[in-house]
Amino acid sequence: MAALAVRALRRLGGLALLVAQLYGLAGRAGSLMTTKHSQPQSTFAKSLTSTSTNTPNFKTTESTEIPSYVSNCPSNGLCSRLPPDCMTCNTNYSCVYGKPATFDCKVKPHVHCVDQNNHEQENFTINMTCQFCWQLATTDYVCTNSTNCMTVSCPRQRYNATCTVLDHIHCLGNRVFPKMLYCNWTGGYKWSTALALSITLGGFGADRFYLGQWREGLGKLFSFGGLGIWTLIDVLLIGVGYVGPADGSLYI
């Protein structure tokens, strides 16, 4: 009986081994079939993605941007009156100071100008005096104004100003330069008004109040113009311009 049981177990083990081998073979065959069917799909998917990503390259026309300096350049104006930012010139620093000099210039792109005969040109010459920008006349540049310095003082005060050359003026060197200038700003006070108040109502300190000097005005008011002596002195001082506004500005 024991021998029969052992034989039955061996047969069952062999049968189980056979079933396991058949199951393994079936799994390999299935994987081979799935890979064969999946390869065309993957290649088809790749073709789809490649066709979707490879979009046709259309050449975009680049927009021509206008330079910023063009807005400062008058259109169809005289070439000799163009601002320096609108042209390029062959500057000759070896010219004789104070003597006339001629420079060859060319307009920058997108800039149009004409000559005296209203003919458009690109190359032209500029006649100017050989001098640096800081040596120009005061009418050829504008400077910043200071309201912090005293105009009525002895000696007369100066301040550091930043000056810029006018557009149609040509010169050598930097067009923006520092310069020491006399204080020449005004606060709106009129010399004629101050003198009239000093003559008529100077005994009550009206002239000093008008000029913003309220302490002196109070002194004249309560002393009745220094019994007339202070009034006469102020008439002379305001008349010659020695006494001015309290803020240090000039008369109009």
Side-chain angles (χ1 to χ4, degrees):
M1 292 295 293
L4 291 174
V6 171
R7 289 178 183 176
L9 290 174
R10 288 179 179 177
R11 289 178 181 178
L12 288 173
L15 182 61
L17 181 62
L18 180 62
V19 171
Q21 290 177 355
L22 291 174
Y23 182 75
L25 291 174
R28 290 179 181 179
S31 63
L32 290 174
M33 292 295 291
T34 54
T35 53
K36 287 181 180 180
H37 289 290
S38 63
Q39 286 179 356
Q41 292 178 358
S42 62
T43 54
F44 180 71
K46 289 180 181 179
S47 64
L48 286 177
T49 56
S50 63
T51 54
S52 62
T53 55
N54 293 333
T55 56
N57 294 326
F58 296 101
K59 293 183 179 180
T60 58
T61 57
E62 297 181 356
S63 59
T64 57
E65 296 182 356
I66 300 177
S68 59
Y69 59 82
V70 176
S71 59
N72 299 325
C73 304
S75 179
N76 296 326
L78 290 176
C79 295
S80 58
R81 303 283 293 183
L82 284 176
D85 294 337
C86 305
M87 67 181 79
T88 55
C89 298
N90 297 324
T91 306
N92 182 15
Y93 285 90
S94 62
C95 59
V96 180
Y97 171 73
K99 300 294 183 181
T102 301
F103 301 108
D104 296 327
C105 301
K106 182 180 180 180
V107 295
K108 290 184 178 180
H110 305 283
V111 178
H112 304 280
C113 65
V114 296
D115 57 5
Q116 298 291 341
N117 298 324
N118 204 21
H119 295 156
E120 185 173 357
Q121 59 179 177
E122 294 183 358
N123 300 317
F124 56 96
T125 59
I126 287 181
N127 298 320
M128 54 173 284
T129 303
C130 181
Q131 59 183 351
F132 287 97
C133 294
W134 60 270
Q135 297 172 326
L136 291 171
T138 55
T139 56
D140 294 335
Y141 56 83
V142 292
C143 301
T144 57
N145 204 351
S146 175
T147 58
N148 298 324
C149 59
M150 299 291 291
T151 57
V152 182
S153 62
C154 186
R156 192 175 177 186
Q157 292 185 0
R158 294 172 178 260
Y159 70 98
N160 291 320
T162 302
C163 303
T164 305
V165 181
L166 299 179
D167 289 338
H168 64 278
I169 302 298
H170 300 279
C171 55
L172 302 177
N174 296 327
R175 299 184 63 83
V176 179
F177 54 90
K179 197 167 187 177
M180 293 288 294
L181 298 177
Y182 285 110
C183 300
N184 59 353
W185 65 283
T186 178
Y189 297 96
K190 292 184 178 181
W191 173 81
S192 59
T193 304
L195 183 60
L197 290 175
S198 182
I199 295 172
T200 57
L201 300 174
F204 301 99
D207 50 353
R208 293 284 184 165
F209 284 120
Y210 172 74
L211 296 175
Q213 302 175 5
W214 59 271
R215 294 184 182 88
E216 292 80 356
L218 290 175
K220 291 181 69 175
L221 177 62
F222 290 109
S223 65
F224 299 101
L227 299 178
I229 299 175
W230 194 349
T231 302
L232 293 176
I233 294 175
D234 274 355
V235 170
L236 295 176
L237 294 179
I238 293 176
V240 298
Y242 185 80
V243 174
D247 57 4
S249 63
L250 292 175
Y251 287 115
I252 296 177

